[in-house]
Amino acid sequence: PQKPKRKPPLVFVLNLRDHERQTLFSTLTSWGTPSSQLPTLVISESGQAKERAALYARGGVFVITSRILIVDLLTGVAKARDVEGMLVAHAEKCVEKSTEAFILRIFRSQKYFMQVGGASIDSEVTSPGRPNDANVGFVKAFTDDPSSLMA
């Protein structure tokens, strides 16, 4: 008997800039990734909450803005318990009072374990021993492998 097909994990990628999204999609396409397996782009014109809820329920990778994700979390469209991972681009901008920090707090309060990662191209921000690394400290606190954020 054939095993039932497992639903892909639900993963959110926050804060990619326009050119970074374009690079991500073009790179995955050039690697031969089938269009059905490319990340789903969720922007303000991405439809109604019901449509997004159905998309999230199917699983997969979603490149989404923090503003949309926080609204979806607070209204129950996205459920923290269903999320298996999150990548926060530009982690250097994630400080205690940022929207991204609020999102991470919601996830951690509703789910015991989730993979969280941060990425920054600012080498000063992610350098070990940096005297003032408060900007990435918040993401590090939610990261299961803090060394992955180090340059």
Side-chain angles (χ1 to χ4, degrees), residues 13-25 39 41 43 61-66 87-90 119:
V13 179
L14 296 174
N15 297 340
L16 288 183
R17 296 178 179 133
D18 288 338
H19 71 278
E20 294 166 333
R21 287 193 297 259
Q22 292 170 356
T23 300
L24 173 65
F25 282 87
L41 182 60
I43 56 174
V61 177
F62 292 85
V63 176
I64 188 169
T65 65
S66 299
L87 175 66
V88 180
H90 305 284

Side-chain angles (χ1 to χ4, degrees), residues 68-88:
I68 293 173
L69 183 55
I70 194 65
V71 170
D72 285 352
L73 282 170
L74 293 174
T75 59
V77 171
K79 294 173 180 46
R81 70 176 181 269
D82 296 335
V83 178
E84 293 191 38
M86 183 176 306
L87 175 66
V88 180

Side-chain angles (χ1 to χ4, degrees), residues 96-150:
E96 186 178 346
K97 294 183 180 184
S98 66
T99 303
E100 295 78 17
F102 187 43
I103 288 168
L104 292 172
R105 274 194 217 88
I106 290 171
F107 277 106
R108 283 295 181 163
S109 72
Q110 295 180 15
K111 186 170 177 111
Y112 177 71
F113 179 81
M114 176 183 68
Q115 292 291 333
V116 175
S120 175
I121 57 170
D122 183 346
S123 61
E124 286 187 21
V125 169
T126 56
S127 296
R130 182 171 171 247
N132 180 10
D133 63 352
N135 286 350
V136 293
F138 196 89
V139 173
K140 282 183 188 179
F142 285 96
T143 303
D144 298 310
D145 181 14
S147 65
S148 69
L149 299 177
M150 305 310 253

Side-chain angles (χ1 to χ4, degrees), residues 19-46:
H19 71 278
E20 294 166 333
R21 287 193 297 259
Q22 292 170 356
T23 300
L24 173 65
F25 282 87
S26 65
T27 300
L28 291 172
T29 302
S30 73
W31 290 345
T33 304
S35 59
S36 63
Q37 294 179 357
L38 288 173
T40 301
L41 182 60
V42 180
I43 56 174
S44 59
E45 296 84 26
S46 290

